[in-house]
């Protein structure tokens, strides 16, 4: 299997290549080398664990954008049953960069909404690299209102470099579309659980990211600006992206320390793409637990708690 | 002090000799659009709008509030809120140093000033951005002060007006800044539920996280002429689409054409138009004949 190893994973890649080679040899000879293969595989796991134990913020942001990282629809198909995708904002278009629809999570009816990236070049273009236009956010809002009407809890999956910075998006009111979602989501009378599964890119992520709880997968990121963007503005050089990633504190671990997100969901060894089925299972478990917790609350309590959660964001001091 | 000055009796000594000038700095100002050389006092009389070509100069939060509200009617809200460098953020410069420098040059604690005051006698709550404070960027203090001002308007049932002038979210407070978008938008939902009017005035520039949150959530959107208003900055868009952007792109007139704002108003007419609008929304007798 081609795992598309990242630069910092090169030692693992070399070891895996050796294992592949041995397997190949093992096929033609009668010598039993399975012990050797097992030994090397254990070593590879150990090496992976040691590398993944001390990842930098920049390395994590590369993992969050890994070409094989599972996207929203991968989870939808693995975690949910009876998914019916719903399309269009009823005003202008259907934005393929955001997908949504009704489904069942272990039998429980829910609304699922998430940004969707493309796997191959053609799909990447179709999905606009996961960068939604206003019609995408308006579709999301339409589906959320629909969910509210039929008392379906909303599960959102965040994975976008950001809202699309294009002429057409500006013409159709990108700012207004994002802002409206923030306002409406603050008082939707149904539980909203948001999970960052890959890249949480600024306002474009937040526009489907405000609710009762925020989860982040272990190697996902959430940031006010991309490390590259921040570096080119504040350091005047995009090459300082690694420094910017560190300074911005974009990782799940750091954001949970800062109290900005609630739960970090552990990924399989080597990242979600190494074992999508296992990742989907862990995620599904977490979402079920979250749902059960939130469904105990009355609507009033749910909304009060959500409001207080928003109001608590930020740190200031007051001295005269 | 030189030996000679020491010899002089105190009543003859003149302090601050160096700062004395015959022509004070800033007596004249050039309009960047029509190049006309303008007499500073005259420019101020016309509310920092070029009398020749009506170019609207950027103005500070205090100037804005002084122009907009009735004389001597202002009472500042939450003036003591101070920014905190919770991330110990450091790029080419420390955030802490950027704060103290901005505080020194603007004489403000952060990028938002909020007050109560009257407009043609009508009590209102107003907040105005100080663009000179780190590009009017929104961090925790801006979010908190905005929310408190909105709550004040809600409690007292007073119209709430915001003057935006901001580059967007403040990078140095990272995700805390992003969350201010959610916070400021959520409080506006409460104003809506109670029919407390919120009018958003968009001035040059209103971009990024500020435009993608409360600034675009007004019951009415008013823009100053030719203000840059949008989500993504024009340079970012240019790099993405790899073509030059049309003239007037993301300017007030463009936004009005595309249905994003209600009307564009000359700064010198804003007091009247706002008073008229608010008196109708709040069912008060006409304030202006």
């Amino acid at each position: 299997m081609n795992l598309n190893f990242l630069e910092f994973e090169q030692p693992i890649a070399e070891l895996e290549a050796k294992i592949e080679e041995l397997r190949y040899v093992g096929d033609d000879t009668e010598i039993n080398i399975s012990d050797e293969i097992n030994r090397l595989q254990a070593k590879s796991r150990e090496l992976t664990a040691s590398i993944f134990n001390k990842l930098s913020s920049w390395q994590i942001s590369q993992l969050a954008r890994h070409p094989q990282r599972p996207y929203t629809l991968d989870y939808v198909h693995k975690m949910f049953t009876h998914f019916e995708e719903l399309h269009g904002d009823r005003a202008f278009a259907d934005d393929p960069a955001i997908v949504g629809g009704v489904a069942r999570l272990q039998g429980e009816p829910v609304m699922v909404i998430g940004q969707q990236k493309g796997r191959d070049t053609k799909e990447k273009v179709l999905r606009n690299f996961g960068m939604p236009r206003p019609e995408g956010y308006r579709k999301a809002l339409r589906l959320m209102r629909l969910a509210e009407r039929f008392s379906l809890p909303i599960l959102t999956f965040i994975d976008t470099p950001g809202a699309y910075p294009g002429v057409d998006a500006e013409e159709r009111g990108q700012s207004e579309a994002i802002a409206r979602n923030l306002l409406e989501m603050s008082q939707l009378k149904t539980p909203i659980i948001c999970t960052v599964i890959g890249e949480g890119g600024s306002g474009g992520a937040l526009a489907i990211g405000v609710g009762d709880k925020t989860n982040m997968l272990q190697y996902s990121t959430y940031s006010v600006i991309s490390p590259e963007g921040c570096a080119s503005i504040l350091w005047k050089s995009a090459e300082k992206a690694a420094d910017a990633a560190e300074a911005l504190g974009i990782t799940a671990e750091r954001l949970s320390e800062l109290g900005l997100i609630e739960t970090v969901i552990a990924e399989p060894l080597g990242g979600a793409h190494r074992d999508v089925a296992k990742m989907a299972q862990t995620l599904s478990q977490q979402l079920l637990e979250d749902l059960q917790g939130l469904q105990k609350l009355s609507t009033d309590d749910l909304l009060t708690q959500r409001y207080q959660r928003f109001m608590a964001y930020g740190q200031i001091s007051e001295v005269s | 002090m030189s030996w000679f000055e020491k010899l002089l009796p105190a009543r003859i000594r003149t302090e601050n000799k160096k700062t004395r000038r015959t022509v004070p700095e800033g007596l004249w100002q050039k309009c960047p659009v029509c190049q006309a050389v303008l007499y500073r006092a005259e420019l101020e009389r016309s509310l920092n709008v070029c009398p020749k070509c009506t170019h609207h100069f950027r103005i500070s939060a205090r100037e804005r509030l002084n122009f907009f509200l009735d004389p001597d009617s202002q009472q500042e809200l939450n003036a003591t809120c101070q920014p905190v460098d919770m991330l110990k953020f450091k790029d080419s410069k420390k955030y802490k140093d950027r704060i103290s420098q901005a505080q020194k040059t603007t004489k403000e604690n952060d990028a938002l000033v909020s007050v109560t005051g009257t407009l043609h006698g009508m009590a209102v709550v107003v907040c105005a951005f100080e663009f000179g404070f780190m590009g009017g960027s929104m961090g925790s203090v801006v979010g908190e002060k905005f929310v408190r001002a909105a709550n004040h308007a809600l409690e007292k049932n007073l119209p709430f007006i915001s003057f935006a002038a901001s580059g967007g979210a403040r990078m140095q407070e990272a995700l805390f800044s992003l969350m201010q978008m959610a916070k400021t938008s959520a409080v506006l939902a409460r104003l809506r539920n109670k029919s407390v009017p919120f009018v958003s005035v968009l001035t040059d520039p209103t971009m990024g996280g500020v435009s993608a949150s409360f600034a675009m959530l007004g019951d009415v959107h008013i823009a100053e002429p030719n203000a840059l208003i949008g989500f993504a900055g024009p340079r970012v868009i240019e790099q993405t689409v790899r073509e030059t952007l049309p003239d007037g792109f993301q300017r007030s007139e463009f936004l009005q054409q595309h249905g994003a704002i209600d009307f564009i108003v000359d700064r010198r007419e804003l007091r009247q138009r706002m008073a008229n609008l608010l008196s109708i929304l709040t069912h008060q007798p006409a304030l202006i004949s």
Side-chain angles (χ1 to χ4, degrees):
Chain A
M1 184 164 88
N2 175 16
L3 285 170
N4 258 323
F5 285 103
L6 298 168
E7 211 179 297
F8 65 86
E9 295 178 292
Q10 274 321 305
I12 309 169
E14 279 163 28
L15 203 53
E16 287 291 331
K18 214 176 273 173
I19 294 169
E20 273 307 298
E21 226 170 84
L22 269 182
R23 274 212 186 98
Y24 187 69
V25 174
D27 286 346
D28 325 323
T29 56
E30 283 168 15
I31 318 160
N32 188 352
I33 49 167
S34 66
D35 285 353
E36 179 64 7
I37 291 181
N38 285 341
R39 197 183 64 78
L40 283 176
Q41 274 174 333
K43 199 178 160 194
S44 167
R45 274 195 298 276
E46 227 170 81
L47 185 66
T48 310
S50 86
I51 289 178
F52 275 71
N53 245 332
K54 41 178 198 286
L55 291 176
S56 69
S57 299
W58 179 235
Q59 287 167 336
I60 289 175
S61 91
Q62 287 167 288
L63 276 170
R65 302 169 181 170
H66 195 286
Q68 283 179 325
R69 193 155 177 94
Y71 298 147
T72 296
L73 285 176
D74 298 318
Y75 289 119
V76 167
H77 295 311
K78 284 229 153 52
M79 290 166 51
F80 299 88
T81 58
H82 308 87
F83 177 61
E84 285 293 347
E85 190 174 349
L86 304 172
H87 292 274
D89 70 345
R90 296 293 185 272
F92 178 76
D94 180 47
D95 184 354
I98 286 191
V99 293
V102 290
R104 287 176 186 273
L105 180 66
Q106 313 247 342
E108 204 53 34
V110 293
M111 177 68 78
V112 190
I113 296 166
Q115 285 111 354
Q116 179 65 33
K117 294 179 176 175
R119 198 65 69 185
D120 57 31
T121 310
K122 206 175 138 196
E123 201 201 351
K124 278 186 172 124
V125 172
L126 173 78
R127 304 282 184 191
N128 200 28
F129 302 86
M131 294 185 287
R133 291 183 163 87
E135 51 271 26
Y137 294 117
R138 288 173 184 143
K139 167 167 76 176
L141 183 59
R142 180 178 78 84
L143 299 185
M144 291 191 276
R145 285 219 184 98
L146 194 154
E148 180 187 43
R149 256 189 328 273
F150 296 97
S151 304
L152 304 174
I154 299 164
L155 306 175
T156 73
F157 295 100
I158 295 162
D159 189 15
T160 179
Y164 182 57
V167 176
D168 57 339
E170 294 289 324
E171 283 175 344
R172 294 196 289 278
Q174 188 73 288
S175 290
E176 193 272 349
I178 295 171
R180 176 155 310 271
N181 283 15
L182 301 180
L183 182 142
E184 301 278 351
M185 289 175 82
S186 76
Q187 50 180 3
L188 276 180
K189 295 186 182 72
T190 187
I192 306 172
I193 301 163
C194 311
T195 308
V196 186
I197 57 169
E199 274 183 285
S202 193
L206 192 70
I208 59 163
V210 293
D212 302 300
K213 186 171 187 250
T214 309
N215 300 315
M216 280 180 78
L217 299 193
Q218 190 179 0
Y219 304 127
S220 66
T221 58
Y222 200 176
S223 180
V224 68
I225 184 170
S226 71
E228 291 91 335
C230 180
S232 70
I233 297 171
L234 291 182
W235 278 262
K236 315 272 178 232
S237 153
E239 277 149 35
K240 295 280 188 187
D243 294 339
E246 206 60 58
L248 286 166
I250 60 177
T251 65
E253 199 190 337
R254 183 87 179 101
L255 292 170
S256 135
E257 281 167 15
L258 292 168
L260 287 163
I261 63 154
E262 278 78 18
T263 308
V264 182
I265 304 173
E267 295 195 19
L269 182 62
H273 61 287
R274 293 280 198 100
D275 192 344
V276 183
K278 191 176 167 198
M279 184 74 254
Q281 204 194 348
T282 320
L283 181 53
S284 161
Q285 218 43 53
Q286 179 67 49
L287 291 179
L288 270 177
E289 223 173 88
D290 293 345
L291 272 181
Q292 281 159 5
L294 290 170
Q295 279 170 331
K296 279 189 205 134
L297 299 174
S298 69
T299 305
D300 281 351
D301 288 350
L302 182 78
L303 293 187
T304 311
Q305 193 179 301
R306 187 186 301 163
Y307 189 74
Q308 282 164 354
R309 184 169 171 259
F310 290 1
M311 291 306 135
Y313 288 135
Q315 282 183 27
I316 64 161
S317 78
E318 284 196 84
V319 277
S320 39
Chain B
M1 207 181 275
S2 72
W3 64 271
F4 179 70
E5 280 175 324
K6 277 183 195 157
L7 285 177
L8 288 171
R11 63 194 161 82
I12 302 180
R13 247 185 248 161
T14 43
E15 299 290 327
N16 300 325
K17 251 186 188 160
K18 279 172 196 147
T19 57
R20 254 180 58 190
R21 285 199 183 88
T22 45
V23 181
E25 201 171 352
L27 187 64
W28 299 93
Q29 186 150 355
K30 198 170 180 181
C31 171
V33 174
C34 71
Q35 312 297 328
V37 178
L38 307 165
Y39 185 44
R40 185 75 226 173
E42 193 194 339
L43 186 60
E44 261 158 38
R45 262 198 306 281
S46 68
L47 311 190
N48 279 15
V49 174
C50 172
K52 303 274 191 303
C53 73
T54 76
H55 165 66
H56 283 53
F57 285 79
R58 285 180 185 169
I59 54 175
S60 72
R62 298 284 167 185
E63 283 175 291
R64 170 80 62 191
L65 295 166
N66 292 342
F67 291 161
F68 182 68
L69 291 165
D70 297 337
D72 303 318
S73 73
Q74 288 180 46
Q75 261 190 314
E76 187 161 358
L77 301 168
N78 305 301
T80 54
C81 294
Q82 292 263 11
V84 177
D85 178 17
M86 51 273 190
L87 297 172
K88 306 269 170 285
F89 196 98
K90 181 175 178 284
D91 46 85
S92 53
K93 226 174 175 181
K94 282 185 189 157
Y95 178 37
K96 234 174 70 192
D97 296 343
R98 284 187 196 268
I99 293 172
S100 40
Q101 198 191 355
Q103 287 180 334
K104 220 161 144 192
T105 52
T106 61
K107 310 254 188 320
E108 303 293 351
N109 281 338
D110 207 306
L112 191 79
V113 180
S114 53
V115 302
T116 57
T118 60
L119 169 69
H120 285 283
M122 182 198 307
V124 290
V125 178
V126 189
C127 58
F129 271 83
E130 175 54 60
F131 189 72
F133 196 105
M134 298 183 72
S137 56
M138 173 161 70
S140 300
V141 172
V142 170
E144 181 67 24
K145 284 181 84 171
F146 183 89
V147 166
R148 289 189 194 183
N151 278 327
H152 187 82
L154 192 65
E155 278 158 30
K156 303 266 162 57
N157 194 23
L158 301 176
F160 183 36
I161 300 154
S162 124
F163 288 94
S166 170
R170 186 172 299 166
M171 283 179 281
Q172 289 84 352
E173 290 186 29
L175 207 69
F176 286 99
S177 301
L178 191 73
M179 293 309 166
Q180 302 312 308
M181 293 169 65
K183 183 170 170 171
T184 54
S185 303
V187 77
L188 292 177
R190 300 219 151 171
L191 266 66
R192 276 190 187 197
N193 297 343
K194 294 272 185 252
S195 300
V196 172
F198 169 56
V199 179
S200 173
V201 184
L202 308 153
T203 78
D204 188 55
T206 301
M207 303 299 292
V210 167
S211 105
S213 60
F214 64 85
M216 279 292 173
L217 293 172
D219 292 303
V220 177
H221 293 164
I222 302 174
E224 286 198 333
N226 203 39
L228 187 72
I229 303 161
F231 177 67
R235 248 183 313 160
V236 175
I237 298 175
E238 221 157 26
Q239 280 162 13
T240 312
V241 300
R242 298 192 187 285
E243 48 188 284
T244 41
L245 300 170
D247 270 357
F249 178 66
Q250 292 183 317
R251 296 286 169 181
S252 309
E253 295 71 14
F254 172 93
L255 267 91
Q256 188 176 29
Q257 241 172 46
H258 287 92
I261 57 177
D262 291 284
F263 58 84
I264 298 170
V265 65
D266 188 302
R267 191 178 290 160
R268 293 164 293 188
E269 289 161 22
L270 182 63
R271 268 174 60 83
Q272 284 212 13
R273 300 280 297 273
M274 185 73 84
N276 181 43
L277 181 70
L278 291 176
S279 68
I280 292 173
L281 293 180
T282 57
H283 294 265
Q284 292 183 38
L287 294 167
I288 304 144
S289 49

